[in-house]
Amino acid sequence: MPDAEDVRRVALSLPDTTEKVAWNMPTFRVAAKMFATLPEDETSMAVRCPKEERDELVLAEPGKFWIADHEAGFAWVRVRLSALEGEPELRDILADSWRQAAPTGLLDSHPELGLPAAD
C-alpha cells in the first residue's frame, strides 16, 4: 500500500515537478500548475481528473475514489492511498494528472510519459 512518502517520491520523479506547501498541505506542481496534493492527514491524495472521467471513477470504485465537497465544481478527484493496488497504480494516476497540467513543450520532450496505451 503506497503512503504519503511514496506519493512525494513518485510525484517528484516526474519532470520539472516541485513541491510547495499551500493551504497547510504539500502540493506538487509542474510549470507552476498544481497536479497533486496530500490533504488532511496524508492518507489520500487529490489529483486532476476530467469531470466526466472523475464521475465514472467514483461510481465504479467508491472505496478508492471520491469527490470532496469543496472540489465538486473542479476537475479534481480524491484517491484513498490504502485502496491503491501498489506503486504502479500510484505512478499511473500521478502521471496522468501531471500530463493534464504540463505544458505541451514539456510533454513533447518526455514522450515516455505520453498517453497510456489503449487496452
Side-chain angles (χ1 to χ4, degrees), residues 6-82:
D6 295 320
V7 172
R8 180 172 282 108
R9 180 177 45 76
V10 171
L12 291 172
S13 75
L14 296 167
D16 292 349
T17 294
T18 58
E19 180 176 352
K20 177 182 178 183
V21 174
W23 306 289
N24 296 314
M25 69 179 146
T27 67
F28 301 92
R29 300 161 188 257
V30 58
K33 291 176 91 176
M34 193 166 36
F35 71 91
T37 69
L38 281 167
E40 289 98 23
D41 57 4
E42 299 186 355
T43 60
S44 68
M45 65 179 175
V47 293
R48 289 175 174 261
C49 185
K51 288 182 185 178
E52 305 78 31
E53 292 176 27
R54 173 190 76 176
D55 295 343
E56 290 175 19
L57 284 172
V58 171
L59 285 172
E61 297 185 78
K64 186 180 294 186
F65 300 102
W66 87 98
I67 302 166
D69 290 341
H70 67 280
E71 294 168 344
F74 302 97
W76 287 80
V77 68
R78 296 285 179 100
V79 185
R80 288 177 181 84
L81 297 179
S82 63

